[in-house]
Every structure is written in structure tokens, then in C-alpha cells.
Amino acid sequence: MADKVHCIRKTLRLMPQEAKVLSDKAKANGMNEAEYIRLLISQKPNDYPEVRKLLKELINEINRIGININQIVFNRNAQLYSKKDKEQLVAYMKKLNQSVSEAVVKIGNQ
């Protein structure tokens, strides 16, 4: 239990503009300054609200695309596959790749 208690105090000196940036970023993320600094130290991307939101949106997008792909494959297996279905499948895969690439770029910039 003692390992989970924050018992070591550190003093930090900041310039006024640095203190304002810290305060603003902590408030923007719904945290106090100490929690925000701990977050920055831990460097766990899943802890960042922006990353969680982005990953949730990406998962939802992948699920929607997956449903469409499943319908196209079902039609293919039922011999109902058309050239239009193939074009849609390629478009969905391009969109999926683009969404994943955008997420990687955004997460990489965190």
C-alpha cells in the first residue's frame, strides 16, 4: 500500500510563462498540475485524453469499414459479387489505411 502513496515532495522552479502553460495544460486535461506532471513522466500514450479519443474514433471507423467488407465478401461467396463491389472494397481499404496512417502521425506527435 505504501508504494501507491505519493510521499516524496519535489520543489520545481518555473518562469511565469512556464507556470501558466503548465496550469493551462493541466486544466485542459481535467487534472491538477501534479497529476499532469506525473502523466508526462509516465509517458503512457493511452493516458492522454486526446490519444484515447483518437483511438476510439479509429476503432469505430474500422468497425464500420469491417461491416461493409463483410457484406461484400458475403455477396462474393453468394455469387453476387460485382465490379462495383470490388471498387468499393478497394476504396474501403484505402480509407482504412489512411485512417490508420493519420492516427499514427497524430499519436507520434504526442
Side-chain angles (χ1 to χ4, degrees):
M1 179 79 180
D3 291 341
K4 295 185 182 219
V5 176
H6 301 288
C7 59
I8 298 175
R9 182 177 293 266
K10 295 284 184 177
T11 303
L12 177 66
R13 293 177 187 243
L14 300 172
M15 300 292 290
Q17 63 269 23
E18 293 171 332
K20 178 159 178 30
V21 169
L22 175 61
S23 177
D24 292 346
K25 287 187 175 188
K27 285 179 187 173
N29 287 294
M31 302 175 180
N32 64 41
E33 293 176 7
E35 290 170 333
Y36 187 73
I37 289 172
R38 283 187 214 105
L39 170 71
L40 295 175
I41 291 169
S42 69
Q43 292 297 307
K44 296 178 185 173
N46 285 337
D47 290 343
Y48 289 89
E50 304 89 20
V51 173
R52 282 196 305 261
K53 182 180 179 208
L54 179 66
L55 290 175
K56 184 177 181 179
E57 290 171 0
L58 182 60
I59 288 169
N60 289 338
E61 182 73 20
I62 290 170
N63 286 338
R64 286 192 294 273
I65 292 171
I67 290 168
N68 292 330
I69 290 171
N70 284 340
Q71 291 171 347
I72 291 170
V73 171
F74 177 81
N75 288 339
R76 166 64 179 106
N77 290 338
Q79 305 299 322
L80 302 172
Y81 192 70
S82 68
K83 184 175 182 178
K84 182 181 173 190
D85 290 332
K86 181 179 178 182
E87 291 168 357
Q88 278 185 323
L89 182 59
V90 170
Y92 288 135
M93 293 307 294
K94 285 181 182 177
K95 186 173 181 180
L96 179 60
N97 285 334
Q98 180 183 0
S99 297
V100 170
S101 295
E102 289 172 2
V104 167
V105 168
K106 287 181 183 177
I107 291 172
N109 290 334
Q110 297 294 321

